[in-house]
Amino acid sequence: MKPGDDLNNRFVVQDLVFEGPVATLFRGADRRTGAPVALKVLRPDIDGDVARFERECAVLAELRHPNIVRYVAHGVAAAGERYLATEWLHGEDLGRRLDRGPLDADDVLSLAQGIAAALAAMHARGIVHRDIKPANLLLPDGDIARVRVLDLGLARRTRVTRSTTRSGSLLGTPGYMAPEQVRGQRDLDARIDIFAFGAVLF
C-alpha cells in the first residue's frame, strides 16, 4: 500500500507516518465525511499477527469513549492488506511531553481522571488493555485533559487474557508490567492495567 491508493472506495491513503515491524501507519481521508483518519495497515507477510489484529479491530469497534481513540472502520483492501481506520489526532504522546519535564499537580490530576475514565469503560466490558504506558497515551493538541488511550493491539477480554506469545516472550512493556504479568501468569485481569496506570502516574 502506498500514498494515493484507494481503500474499498472509502478511504484515500495520503501520507506514510510510521513503518513498524508488524504494521504501517498512514494518514488518510474518509471519503464519506472528509475527515482525516489514521490507517493502520498490517504487513501482508505477518501471518501470525492476523488474529491479534482482528481482535484489536473488534475490541475497538465496541468502545465509544472520549478518552479512547475513536474507531472508524476496518476491513481488507483489494490487494489483501488488512486495515484499521481510526480518528486522526494531532498532538504528542505523554512520553514526549515528559521528556520536556514533569507535569504539575493539576495536570497530573487531569491526566489521571482521563486515563481512569478510559480504563473504567474498557474494564466494564471485560477488556484489559495490557500495555498502558506513556507512548500509548496521546495528548490531542497537547491538551492533557483530552488524553486518549491508543494502541489496543494487546487488548484481550478478561476471561481469555494470556501473558505470553506462542514463543514464550512476554507481552507488555517492562517498567509498566505488573508482577503477575512479568511472571507469565495466565488469566490476567484489569488489575494489571491499574498497576500500569500507577506506574505512569509515578
Side-chain angles (χ1 to χ4, degrees), residues 22-70:
V22 174
T24 304
L25 182 66
F26 294 93
R27 186 178 187 273
D30 187 342
R31 289 184 184 275
R32 293 184 186 175
T33 64
V37 291
L39 297 168
K40 182 178 180 179
V41 181
L42 188 67
R43 284 182 46 174
D45 56 330
I46 309 294
D47 294 336
D49 286 283
V50 170
R52 184 184 297 173
F53 187 78
E54 289 296 325
R55 280 194 300 270
E56 177 182 7
C57 295
V59 165
L60 197 55
E62 70 175 80
L63 293 171
R64 288 289 186 273
H65 192 276
N67 296 112
I68 300 173
V69 64
R70 181 173 55 82

Side-chain angles (χ1 to χ4, degrees), residues 26-179:
F26 294 93
R27 186 178 187 273
D30 187 342
R31 289 184 184 275
R32 293 184 186 175
T33 64
V37 291
L39 297 168
K40 182 178 180 179
V41 181
L42 188 67
R43 284 182 46 174
D45 56 330
I46 309 294
D47 294 336
D49 286 283
V50 170
R52 184 184 297 173
F53 187 78
E54 289 296 325
R55 280 194 300 270
E56 177 182 7
C57 295
V59 165
L60 197 55
E62 70 175 80
L63 293 171
R64 288 289 186 273
H65 192 276
N67 296 112
I68 300 173
V69 64
R70 181 173 55 82
Y71 167 90
V72 176
H74 73 279
V76 181
E81 301 108 318
R82 297 173 185 273
Y83 68 88
L84 168 63
T86 61
E87 64 178 326
W88 176 264
L89 295 167
H90 295 278
E92 64 180 350
D93 65 50
L94 180 62
R96 291 188 176 183
R97 168 60 187 83
L98 293 175
D99 285 342
R100 299 198 302 274
L103 305 179
D104 63 30
D106 288 341
D107 282 341
V108 171
L109 179 59
S110 181
L111 178 74
Q113 290 173 330
I115 300 171
L119 292 179
M122 285 188 277
H123 297 166
R125 289 184 171 271
I127 296 167
V128 183
H129 187 284
R130 300 202 298 173
D131 199 20
I132 295 295
K133 60 183 178 181
N136 285 340
L137 300 168
L138 189 91
L139 310 177
D141 299 318
D143 188 349
I144 290 170
R146 294 165 52 209
V147 61
R148 297 283 209 290
V149 174
L150 306 176
D151 195 353
L152 278 74
L154 297 185
R156 296 290 291 272
R157 298 193 178 281
T158 305
R159 293 178 182 173
V160 296
T161 293
R162 301 286 178 85
S163 63
T164 58
T165 64
R166 58 186 177 276
S167 64
S169 58
L170 294 177
L171 290 179
T173 300
Y176 298 92
M177 295 167 66

